[in-house]
Amino acid sequence: MLVLFGSETPMPTPTMTVDPDSVTPGFAGFAAIVIVLIAVVLLIWDMNRRIRKVRYREEVREELDAEEAAARESGAGTAQREPDSDAEADEGDRKP
């Protein structure tokens, strides 16, 4: 059977030709990773703050819409309507 497949060729074992201490990242690599880590943490913190702010604004907007709808149902919303400031200025100019 070995005659059909040929003889096995031995695999050479690799030898280290480079000093393992000279290929490590050292302090510069460690400092770069720490800076990237700090930047990522700060970006995540800022993103969470912005998302929380948007979520709170949406909750307040929903509450205001619900109050406005309740006021419309009771009919009190139309009686307390404030005029535009531009319209007031125009009316003030026309009065004698």
Side-chain angles (χ1 to χ4, degrees):
M1 188 82 137
L2 288 176
V3 175
L4 295 175
F5 294 113
S7 63
E8 274 188 52
T9 57
M11 295 288 285
T13 58
T15 58
M16 292 290 275
T17 57
V18 179
D19 182 25
D21 293 331
S22 66
V23 294
T24 60
F27 180 75
F30 175 74
I33 295 298
V34 167
I35 290 171
V36 168
L37 178 69
I38 290 171
V40 167
V41 167
L42 290 175
L43 285 172
I44 290 172
W45 183 43
D46 183 56
M47 180 187 65
N48 282 334
R49 184 177 57 89
R50 290 174 187 263
I51 289 174
R52 191 177 313 120
K53 187 185 297 185
V54 168
R55 188 179 308 141
Y56 289 151
R57 284 182 181 168
E58 183 62 30
E59 289 175 5
V60 168
R61 194 171 294 133
E62 287 175 2
E63 289 176 10
L64 290 175
D65 288 343
E67 289 176 5
E68 187 176 309
R72 269 192 234 132
E73 288 177 6
S74 68
T78 57
Q80 296 178 357
R81 187 172 161 243
E82 295 181 14
D84 260 0
S85 60
D86 294 335
E88 287 178 27
D90 291 341
E91 288 176 14
D93 292 339
R94 290 185 209 152
K95 290 182 184 177

